[in-house]
Amino acid sequence: DGGITQSPKYLFRKEGQNVTLSCEQNLNHDAMYWYRQDPGQGLRLIYYSQIVNDFQKGDIAEGYSVSREKKESFPLTVTSAQKNPTAFYLCASSGQAPKGESGANVLTFGAGSRLTVL
Amino acid sequence: AQKVTQAQTEISVVEKEDVTLDCVYETRDTTYYLFWYKQPPSGELVFLIRRNSFDEQNEISGRYSWNFQKSTSSFNFTITASQVVDSAVYFCALSEVYTGRRALTFGSGTRLQVQP
């Protein structure tokens, strides 16, 4: 079955360490996204990528980095510069919107990765 | 800039009660899409509905219904005869057509607890 796989599901990190969260999709979707979820704040966009080898900053990109070397993969690195990294991270992807319906993309989400900084 | 407000942080109802989740949005685009997603305890968001800004017809899907009112910039979601399995966090989201960003902006979510 097609879907999005995020790993690890749970991750613990010491302060000052970089960590990389994996996101793989086999839906043949062009676009991929990373969101961060904190209690009471909903989902906030970190980075997104519409096509391989291209990505854009979202609303809270500081302290994070991404790469998009392959269509199916969009890893997120949480760097030591991220001051408050403890959160639930969600990866999503979407296919091409129907012609004339830009913005209509339905996002498919992974099960998330919970990062805790000790 | 676009914004989505879900003023209800948490709602608790007893099974079989009807419940409405509010969503108010802000956008400067004349063309946009609105979405509702459900996040059960497992954490994975599940798509429920998408609506474009030109279609103000209300939609019903089983026990779920959606009321889109452009005049008040609202896209409310009603669950009729709620069930325990409806317990989840529900998110409203907005996507604009003419901005350069092709990503959803989410509200802060409403946690619904349905008691047996």
Side-chain angles (χ1 to χ4, degrees):
Chain A
D1 282 341
I4 297 179
T5 302
Q6 289 189 241
S7 62
K9 193 170 175 65
Y10 298 96
L11 184 60
F12 298 89
R13 180 193 107 174
K14 291 182 181 178
E15 276 194 44
Q17 287 182 336
N18 291 359
V19 293
T20 297
L21 308 181
S22 169
C23 178
E24 303 278 330
Q25 55 102 355
N26 60 3
L27 299 165
N28 199 31
H29 283 171
D30 288 314
M32 297 188 74
Y33 313 80
W34 275 105
Y35 285 89
R36 168 180 170 143
Q37 184 176 10
D38 296 279
Q41 293 198 49
L43 277 70
R44 292 182 290 168
L45 183 66
I46 305 173
Y47 269 98
Y48 64 105
S49 168
Q50 297 294 324
I51 198 168
V52 174
N53 292 323
D54 186 48
F55 49 83
Q56 307 294 329
K57 291 182 178 180
D59 299 319
I60 55 166
E62 186 175 348
Y64 299 98
S65 66
V66 293
S67 63
R68 187 83 189 278
E69 296 175 3
K70 298 186 295 182
K71 186 176 185 177
E72 58 270 22
S73 179
F74 192 40
L76 174 74
T77 297
V78 185
T79 75
S80 55
Q82 169 49 234
K83 298 204 183 324
N84 187 17
T86 293
F88 188 53
Y89 292 87
L90 284 156
C91 179
S93 70
S94 66
Q96 283 273 15
K99 194 171 181 182
E101 292 192 20
S102 174
N105 306 53
V106 173
L107 270 58
T108 300
F109 282 85
S113 293
R114 189 169 297 279
L115 171 64
T116 302
V117 173
L118 303 172
Chain B
Q2 66 273 35
K3 184 179 178 183
V4 177
T5 301
Q6 295 179 257
Q8 303 151 307
T9 305
E10 188 161 342
I11 301 174
S12 183
V13 299
V14 176
E15 216 171 9
K16 296 184 184 172
E17 281 186 31
D18 298 347
V19 58
T20 296
L21 310 182
D22 298 332
C23 173
V24 174
Y25 61 91
E26 294 175 31
T27 177
R28 281 182 276 189
D29 262 11
T30 55
T31 305
Y32 50 89
Y33 289 84
L34 295 162
F35 302 77
W36 276 95
Y37 280 83
K38 174 181 180 179
Q39 185 180 40
S42 62
E44 189 169 334
L45 270 75
V46 176
F47 166 73
L48 296 177
I49 189 172
R50 176 186 65 196
R51 214 85 179 118
N52 77 48
S53 51
F54 295 111
D55 185 357
E56 287 193 70
Q57 279 195 344
N58 290 337
E59 180 148 344
I60 297 174
S61 176
R63 296 183 298 105
Y64 294 173
S65 62
W66 290 269
N67 183 302
F68 175 30
Q69 292 199 346
K70 235 171 164 175
S71 59
T72 56
S73 297
S74 65
F75 186 43
N76 297 338
F77 172 30
T78 297
I79 301 175
T80 302
S82 59
Q83 299 176 3
V84 172
V85 292
D86 295 327
S87 297
V89 181
Y90 291 87
F91 290 97
C92 181
L94 166 72
S95 175
E96 296 173 323
V97 171
Y98 294 116
T99 62
R101 168 165 139 168
R102 300 282 186 263
L104 268 60
T105 296
F106 285 84
S108 56
T110 297
R111 181 178 298 277
L112 174 64
Q113 293 194 333
V114 182
Q115 311 287 349

